Amino acid sequence: MFSVLPTTSAMRIEAAIVNRNRDDTPANQMTPCIWPIEGESIHFEYEKAALLGEGGQKCCWKITSRDVAGDFVLLEYRYPSSLHDDRFLEYDDCDKEYAYHQAHEVAEINSDKEITILKRLRGLVGALQLQRVIQCKGNDFRPQIHAIVDFHNRGNLKEFSTQNISLSTREKLGMAIDMMKGLCSIIDNKIYLTDIKAENILLDDTSGRLTATICDFCNADILEDFTIDDKKHNLECLLDIIRRDIFKANYNCDVDNIIQYDRNAEDICLRDFLYKLVGALNNVA
């Protein structure tokens, strides 16, 4: 999700020129927006420093700002820029306005759902942390809602796993524990993940150790009736990533021997698996 690509130019929202939903404006310009804080609003400006990743629903940018210290990531949802957006080129003039409003509504739904999930996960280890919600407004289109989240300096697990970096047993177990903590928090909050993959595990070592964080909740669902099969599916997807991308095994690796997961069990407790991983880490010399 957050693989670093070449630095791209910044965008001024009032005069956005969009080509296939990508920035095409001069560099060294700041994007103005509103940063709501407990019912109040302050003006906030940021500059896009690098495109980290993009998908069908949003782009992820590393940003800099004079208004806040530190590195952050902008989750920029794919709102249409105007009636002249490239996505509407094939529409007749009479249909463009309807298509524009439909596209804007879809982006609103996507942003609202992920931001709602991120708010549920605030303060929980192993899950992407929301820092702020911002509102951007242009001259000829409706307001756009985007999110600002933590930056992770080691990219995603998929890219990291291809770099042939040797990890100690302690580092591997530490990353597995982070991911299991994240999954426990996510499931405790009735969130069902539909896109668990190594690209959606972010790594960071600014704390002095390599940490792992689950990200990207655009395709996740909030389920009030969370079944045991839902829980098993999310766990098995996560275990596949831990085996393949951390322990470099397809099956029966160290983590399986530790947690002793039985997929035929009538019920499972994720925190029991977490405690077993923590116990194994404590026994590492």
Side-chain angles (χ1 to χ4, degrees):
M1 176 184 174
F2 292 169
S3 56
V4 176
L5 301 177
T7 300
T8 186
S9 60
M11 174 179 76
R12 182 175 296 278
I13 286 205
E14 293 91 340
I17 303 172
V18 178
N19 181 25
R20 297 179 183 173
N21 307 318
R22 293 285 297 276
D23 252 337
D24 195 30
T25 50
N28 302 318
Q29 293 188 17
M30 302 297 290
T31 298
C33 61
I34 296 174
W35 183 303
I37 300 179
E38 297 180 355
E40 300 180 357
S41 297
I42 62 171
H43 291 287
F44 167 69
E45 289 191 334
Y46 63 85
E47 182 176 348
K48 294 175 180 175
L51 178 63
L52 303 178
E54 59 184 329
Q57 297 176 347
K58 64 176 181 282
C59 295
C60 304
W61 299 88
K62 183 180 180 183
I63 60 171
T64 59
S65 174
R66 295 188 295 265
D67 298 317
V68 292
D71 294 323
F72 296 96
V73 170
L74 168 70
L75 304 184
E76 182 184 56
Y77 299 95
R78 289 189 180 276
Y79 290 87
S81 61
S82 72
L83 294 177
H84 306 293
D85 194 301
D86 278 2
R87 71 182 84 179
F88 307 130
L89 290 178
E90 296 181 1
Y91 287 87
D92 295 333
D93 289 343
C94 59
D95 294 329
K96 281 186 178 181
E97 185 171 355
Y98 175 78
Y100 163 78
H101 287 293
Q102 286 289 100
H104 193 285
E105 183 176 339
V106 169
E108 278 186 329
I109 291 171
N110 291 335
S111 62
D112 181 68
K113 182 174 75 168
E114 184 164 43
I115 289 171
T116 297
I117 290 174
L118 288 170
K119 286 180 177 179
R120 285 195 180 198
L121 298 175
R122 263 182 167 158
L124 301 178
V125 176
L128 184 65
Q129 292 299 293
L130 176 69
Q131 294 300 324
R132 290 290 187 271
V133 178
I134 62 173
Q135 175 179 296
C136 303
K137 186 176 182 179
N139 293 329
D140 62 346
F141 54 98
R142 294 154 57 187
Q144 304 177 4
I145 304 299
H146 303 293
I148 294 179
V149 298
D150 287 341
F151 173 71
H152 295 74
N153 70 343
R154 296 300 297 269
N156 67 63
L157 178 58
K158 186 65 176 179
E159 292 180 338
F160 183 86
S161 67
T162 64
Q163 297 173 8
N164 295 320
I165 297 175
S166 179
L167 296 175
S168 67
T169 300
R170 176 173 291 276
E171 288 173 320
K172 293 176 182 178
L173 287 173
M175 293 166 65
I177 288 169
D178 290 339
M179 293 162 66
M180 191 65 71
K181 284 181 179 178
L183 187 62
C184 286
S185 299
I186 289 166
I187 290 179
D188 285 347
N189 281 276
K190 308 294 186 182
I191 298 164
Y192 176 71
L193 300 177
T194 62
D195 195 23
I196 303 177
K197 56 187 179 182
E199 290 88 343
N200 290 338
I201 306 295
L202 302 180
L203 307 180
D204 190 274
D205 62 5
T206 54
S207 66
R209 75 171 184 89
L210 193 61
T211 61
T213 298
I214 299 174
C215 72
D216 198 348
F217 303 100
C218 267
N219 295 311
D221 293 317
I222 298 175
L223 302 178
E224 293 306 322
D225 185 18
F226 211 101
T227 69
I228 182 62
D229 287 336
D230 295 331
K231 189 186 298 186
K232 285 182 177 180
H233 180 261
N234 275 184
L235 173 62
E236 289 169 8
C237 289
L238 195 73
L239 288 176
D240 282 343
I241 295 171
I242 292 172
R243 292 187 196 100
R244 181 181 62 250
D245 296 289
I246 297 178
F247 285 87
K248 307 296 184 182
N250 292 323
Y251 55 90
N252 290 336
C253 71
D254 291 347
V255 72
D256 293 290
N257 297 328
I258 293 168
I259 68 173
Q260 296 292 308
Y261 166 60
D262 179 7
R263 66 176 56 197
N264 295 318
E266 293 185 1
D267 197 6
I268 58 173
C269 178
L270 296 184
R271 295 198 181 278
D272 283 348
F273 300 148
L274 174 60
Y275 297 148
K276 290 178 180 179
L277 288 171
V278 172
L281 178 63
N282 292 335
N283 290 328
V284 175

